[in-house]
Amino acid sequence: MRIFSLSCSTLLAAGLTLTASLPLAAQTYPTKPVHIVAPFVPGGPVDIMARILSEKLSASMGTTVIVENRPGAGGNVGAEYVARAAADGHTLLLASGSILTMNEAIYPTLNFSPSKDLAPITVVGDMPLIVAIHADVPAKTLKEFVSYAEKRETFFSSPGNGTTGHAATALLNTTANTKVTHVPYKGGSESARAVLTGMVTGAIDTPPSLLPHIRTGKVRALAVAGPSRLDQLPDVPTTTEAGMPDLQVLTWFALVAPAATPPQVIDRINKEVRQALALDDVKKRFDGMGIRPAGNTPQEFASFAAAERNKWGRIIKQANIRIE
């Protein structure tokens, strides 16, 4: 039996050949400041997360990481900008899940394809939505609310047409066979205020929007539409515990790049972001927004996004949610 051995010079030559075969961008990245595009206005969770990451990545990657706000059209303005940027890892998008998995079904005239023109890097964080109603509504559980809604007209607010809250109301109707009417408002604060004042029956919205009003006792949380209970609401069951396992609605946020970005660059960014998300101070700052730091591989992210796209595509089509 022959035993093969490689000399140091052979190994070195092989390593040099492998390095030479990599795209130049992957060998030298980053070569200039990196821009993280936040496709929403400053001050919101996406903007804040982008700034937290920019601070950590600037230190770990040895370059300036700049947050650039490009809001408009439900996040499509910023997403299209990144989709058409140079695919070298220097222009990234911190996207909401709705941009990546819903907008293609909601907006019939997109000038880019979220599923084809953007490459997955990693999911950055997520938070489950809360099913909540005005405190005067005589329903203490999710099933009691469904029975209540079967007998009278009910209204759920959302931050706007085509938002996750809008789609979540459609999912409730599909799951529970209810006919809750969707009422769009201009943003999460206005939507939550409508629940608080009794202008609408309730909403399926994010913890930052609803928790302050739930704590006053003027809004009642019926269920958490996620895989586990919230630390802030330990006595509120999940939708699975409440008997409606199909009513799962996570708001999630992820980092993506232009589709042709070299895999080696994608992997480098993935590694840096996941290391940042594991830091205690980052976890604390995310937790302050009600967001759970995530972090997964590009392959895991791609599979998750595909499943979400299929799920919401069906719901959006059934509910005929369209924005021209």
Side-chain angles (χ1 to χ4, degrees):
M1 180 176 65
R2 296 182 62 188
I3 299 176
F4 292 89
S5 62
L6 295 176
S7 67
C8 290
S9 60
T10 303
L11 288 170
L12 178 60
L16 291 173
T17 301
L18 176 60
T19 301
S21 69
L22 296 179
L24 179 61
Q27 296 178 44
T28 58
Y29 177 83
T31 59
K32 57 185 179 181
V34 174
H35 289 245
I36 298 178
V37 173
F40 300 104
V41 296
V46 170
D47 176 68
I48 294 171
M49 283 187 290
R51 295 184 188 281
I52 292 171
L53 287 179
S54 71
E55 172 190 322
K56 299 303 180 181
L57 296 180
S58 291
S60 67
M61 296 175 68
T63 192
T64 303
V65 180
I66 301 165
V67 175
E68 186 176 346
N69 295 92
R70 288 181 174 265
N76 293 331
V77 170
E80 181 179 354
Y81 174 80
V82 174
R84 307 213 178 284
D88 56 10
H90 293 93
T91 305
L92 310 173
L93 174 71
L94 185 55
S96 63
S98 59
I99 295 173
L100 302 176
T101 62
M102 294 184 185
N103 284 8
E104 208 162 7
I106 292 171
Y107 293 83
T109 57
L110 282 186
N111 296 320
F112 72 104
S113 170
S115 58
K116 296 178 182 177
D117 296 333
L118 295 168
I121 299 175
T122 189
V123 175
V124 171
D126 61 38
M127 58 181 166
L129 269 60
I130 301 170
V131 184
I133 55 176
H134 188 269
D136 287 346
V137 178
K140 306 299 183 184
T141 67
L142 186 55
K143 285 192 173 182
E144 286 181 7
F145 171 74
V146 170
S147 297
Y148 175 87
E150 288 173 348
K151 300 170 185 175
R152 57 190 55 79
E153 196 171 19
T154 51
F155 301 86
F156 268 25
S157 61
S158 85
N161 283 318
T163 61
T164 302
H166 183 183
T169 300
L171 179 60
L172 171 64
N173 286 334
T174 299
T175 302
N177 198 29
T178 51
K179 294 182 180 179
V180 176
T181 300
H182 167 248
V183 182
Y185 282 80
K186 294 181 179 179
S189 60
E190 287 192 17
S191 173
R193 193 177 302 116
V195 183
L196 174 68
T197 59
M199 293 295 293
V200 296
T201 315
I204 305 176
D205 211 335
T206 62
S209 293
L210 292 175
L211 278 173
H213 306 309
I214 293 170
R215 290 179 178 129
T216 67
K218 295 180 180 179
V219 173
R220 179 181 304 118
L222 297 178
V224 175
S228 59
R229 296 190 182 197
L230 289 174
D231 291 341
Q232 300 93 328
L233 299 172
D235 296 328
V236 177
T238 66
T239 48
T240 298
E241 292 171 329
M244 295 180 62
D246 292 334
L247 186 58
Q248 295 277 318
V249 191
L250 287 175
T251 291
W252 52 275
F253 312 93
L255 201 65
V256 295
T261 302
Q264 295 84 359
V265 172
I266 295 286
D267 289 342
R268 167 75 189 283
I269 302 168
N270 177 277
K271 176 183 176 182
E272 298 285 353
V273 172
R274 293 173 74 180
Q275 287 178 344
L277 294 173
L279 297 173
D280 288 340
D281 65 319
V282 172
K283 292 179 182 178
K284 184 176 180 179
R285 292 162 77 180
F286 273 45
D287 184 64
M289 297 185 287
I291 297 171
R292 181 186 69 91
N296 55 5
T297 68
Q299 295 76 22
E300 290 168 339
F301 173 14
S303 296
F304 170 68
E308 286 280 283
R309 192 175 297 115
N310 290 336
K311 168 185 172 179
W312 291 112
R314 292 194 304 271
I315 298 301
I316 289 165
K317 184 176 181 179
Q318 289 172 4
N320 194 28
I321 301 174
R322 304 289 278 178
I323 296 179
E324 302 296 335

